[in-house]
Amino acid sequence: MKSGFTSIIGRPNVGKSTLLNKILGQKIVITTDKAQTTRKRIKGILTTDEGQIVFVDTPGVHKPLNKLGEFLLDEAKISIPDADLILFLVDGSEPAGKGDKWIAQNLLQTEIPIIIVMNKVDKVKNPAQIEENLLTYKTLFDKNLPIVKISAKTGRNIDTLIKNIFKKLPAGAPLYPEDIVTEETMRDVTEEIIREKILINTSDEIPHSVAVKVENYFEQEDIDKIYATIFCETKSQKGILIGKGGSMLKKIGTEARLELEQITEKKVYLELNVKVEKDWRKKQSALKTFGYEQEN
């Protein structure tokens, strides 16, 4: 048996969360085409006859512009020292860029084994182009690293990736019971799903300016009653989130409630409110309130 921690590191929008959901065969991480969709490290646990892989999904690495941005970068950094293996996930449909180079030079100069995972290769029809792109990622490192080409969207070569991960992990007993796929609580899941529906249904600055906090979660046998607050930074953002006659808030709430009912397999009552917390992304106290604080 083998078991260990595998951190998934990469730029925003390279498909880290999509990959983890595909590997686990279920959605445990929200995914959209917007940067900063993932804000916290999230563990996803795969248990097979061969052993157990504890994946750590991390926020996309980018230059921080505020306290929240600093937290996101730290979330990625912190996941590296404790890892037994690092998956450096890149967009294989294009050559390595400045962001990839920065990650390689600043985060991945480590003795921990690394696999370069080229995602989105299904987008490239010319095999020669994929090989050219591959070379640009190889040259980011002064040692020869294994490379696996995949499509997180279609599932192409995911089995090959899993085999390569197990090759690199140490021998050991499972770290979690075999029926556990994540450490996330239903409060965590609810906050993330509400935020996902905001990301999908709003545009411009709204998604990055929003935090969600579950104030109360009452779990009953036949229904879960959830009361949550959406925090934004300005009155105009609050107006957009509520919408004309409350239409946007109703849409977000309905979409979130339906997904939560699928997860809990029972009725869900979801009540949403919107409050303004000016410049919360710049305030350490607000970040702490919303759970964006490093664990000790």
Side-chain angles (χ1 to χ4, degrees), residues 179-245:
D179 59 338
I180 299 290
V181 292
T182 184
E183 285 185 331
E184 299 301 291
T185 66
M186 273 311 299
R187 274 177 174 261
D188 298 327
V189 170
T190 299
E191 289 174 352
E192 287 295 276
I193 285 173
I194 294 167
R195 196 166 63 83
E196 179 188 52
K197 303 315 173 190
I198 296 166
L199 285 161
I200 291 168
N201 287 293
T202 61
S203 57
D204 300 327
E205 84 281 7
I206 299 292
H208 304 305
S209 307
V210 162
V212 179
K213 189 171 191 293
V214 170
E215 309 288 359
N216 286 294
Y217 194 118
F218 300 110
E219 194 172 340
Q220 299 172 7
E221 193 172 336
D222 57 345
I223 189 170
D224 283 2
K225 294 183 178 179
I226 307 167
Y227 301 83
T229 303
I230 300 168
F231 291 88
C232 56
E233 293 189 315
T234 67
K235 284 185 179 178
S236 63
Q237 290 169 357
K238 181 178 179 178
I240 292 167
L241 284 163
I242 293 172
K244 188 176 181 181

Side-chain angles (χ1 to χ4, degrees), residues 45-115:
I45 302 147
L46 177 71
T47 305
T48 73
D49 292 340
E50 199 168 348
Q52 190 176 79
I53 307 169
V54 182
F55 291 96
V56 183
D57 185 27
T58 62
V61 176
H62 66 288
K63 186 178 179 180
L65 300 174
N66 48 42
K67 290 286 185 186
L68 176 61
E70 291 171 11
F71 169 83
L72 299 181
L73 179 57
D74 285 344
E75 284 287 273
K77 283 181 177 177
I78 286 169
S79 76
I80 292 172
D82 294 331
D84 298 293
L85 175 66
I86 296 165
L87 301 185
F88 179 30
L89 195 67
V90 301
D91 185 344
S93 68
E94 56 188 40
K98 288 181 181 177
D100 299 298
K101 187 176 182 180
W102 191 92
I103 293 170
Q105 290 178 345
N106 293 276
L107 298 184
L108 301 184
Q109 296 302 311
T110 173
E111 295 304 311
I112 298 166
I114 298 169
I115 298 175

Side-chain angles (χ1 to χ4, degrees), residues 160-188:
T160 303
L161 177 60
I162 298 298
K163 286 176 187 173
N164 276 271
I165 292 170
F166 273 122
K167 282 179 190 174
K168 299 286 184 182
L169 290 184
L175 301 161
Y176 292 87
E178 64 178 34
D179 59 338
I180 299 290
V181 292
T182 184
E183 285 185 331
E184 299 301 291
T185 66
M186 273 311 299
R187 274 177 174 261
D188 298 327

